[in-house]
Amino acid sequence: MTTRTIRQTIAAVATSDGAGVALRRSIGTAALKNLDPFLMLDHFGSEVPDDYLAGFPDHPHRGFVTFTYMLDGHMEHRDSLGNRGDLRAGGAQWMKAASGVIHSEMPRQVNGLMRGFQLWINLPAAEKMSDPVYQEFSPAAIPEVTADGIRVRVLAGEHSGVRGVVEDPITNVLYLDITLPAGAVFARPLPATHNAFVYVYEGDAELSGQALPAHRLAVLGDGDEVSLRAGAGGARFILVAGRPIGEPIVQYGPFVMNSREEIEQAFADYRDGRLARVRAAMHAV
Ligand code: CO
């Protein structure tokens, strides 16, 4: 076994998106444009409702998957496929936008809290114009593995023989939310073929002798195993890995394709109302 070390750390950049939602972005910044197949990681969360209540009103996506995981509060969702969702704390949403989805995402607090992650996962050329798929999972639907005080929520992929709710045969994504008590060590195998990262969102940890404070993303180097030790206050982090696609990435805002021509086509389709095939449906619900 070769334990993965840290190849690069990225301090999440405070920014805002949508109609003014405060968030911390790590993947998808100047320091790390992408980590194939991952295009963006946003960690949103605030105790100040003005930081997020305007939310993300109607906006399009084409060419990739958005994966949203709520830690606190909830997120009201509505899309051009006719889905109306309410993503609860601990729940997750896997939206394969593919050929096109227009949706709104409106964060709401519970007990003054609203926190979560949105990860963008790229699709290969052969899948970019396929039909969109929407999947939403309640908090109770997410399997958990608990041992020695370590809690692992299995969102996608497999951990200790437990399969997550999301099956992703394309990029084989592993997505775990891990809570470690003070000083505890978490270790597991990771496919050597996959790009992987760790993002600590509470407490702090140490990975291959390097300190990993909160709100910092660690891109992992080569190897087939990961090992991480929590600091004195414990740690909560996500561990995510996926098989790289290895195709050109041309991104313009919410459209991620393989060429400039395809981006121009996406803009034209959006302008002419062709991006989401049943676009009219969302305004009827
Ligand atoms: Co969106």
Side-chain angles (χ1 to χ4, degrees), residues 59 61 103 105:
H59 60 278
H61 293 289
H103 71 164
E105 301 162 284

Short mmCIF file of all heavy atoms in Angstrom, two decimals, residues 59 61 103 105, ligand 1:
data_model
loop_
_atom_site.label_atom_id
_atom_site.label_comp_id
_atom_site.label_asym_id
_atom_site.label_seq_id
_atom_site.Cartn_x
_atom_site.Cartn_y
_atom_site.Cartn_z
N HIS A 59 -31.62 29.29 -13.01
CA HIS A 59 -30.37 29.34 -13.79
C HIS A 59 -30.16 27.99 -14.46
O HIS A 59 -30.65 26.97 -13.98
CB HIS A 59 -29.18 29.71 -12.89
CG HIS A 59 -28.94 28.74 -11.79
ND1 HIS A 59 -29.65 28.76 -10.60
CD2 HIS A 59 -28.10 27.68 -11.69
CE1 HIS A 59 -29.24 27.78 -9.83
NE2 HIS A 59 -28.30 27.10 -10.46
N HIS A 61 -27.94 24.72 -16.30
CA HIS A 61 -26.71 23.92 -16.26
C HIS A 61 -26.71 23.01 -17.48
O HIS A 61 -27.77 22.51 -17.86
CB HIS A 61 -26.65 23.02 -15.01
CG HIS A 61 -26.53 23.75 -13.71
ND1 HIS A 61 -25.38 24.39 -13.33
CD2 HIS A 61 -27.41 23.93 -12.70
CE1 HIS A 61 -25.57 24.93 -12.13
NE2 HIS A 61 -26.80 24.68 -11.72
N HIS A 103 -32.94 25.41 -13.07
CA HIS A 103 -33.51 25.19 -11.74
C HIS A 103 -33.27 26.38 -10.83
O HIS A 103 -32.51 27.29 -11.13
CB HIS A 103 -32.98 23.88 -11.13
CG HIS A 103 -31.54 23.91 -10.70
ND1 HIS A 103 -31.00 22.96 -9.85
CD2 HIS A 103 -30.54 24.77 -10.97
CE1 HIS A 103 -29.73 23.23 -9.64
NE2 HIS A 103 -29.41 24.32 -10.29
N GLU A 105 -32.45 27.13 -6.61
CA GLU A 105 -32.00 26.51 -5.37
C GLU A 105 -32.06 27.60 -4.30
O GLU A 105 -31.35 28.60 -4.40
CB GLU A 105 -30.57 26.01 -5.52
CG GLU A 105 -30.40 24.99 -6.63
CD GLU A 105 -28.94 24.82 -7.07
OE1 GLU A 105 -28.43 25.71 -7.78
OE2 GLU A 105 -28.33 23.83 -6.68
CO CO B 1 -27.58 25.21 -9.93
#
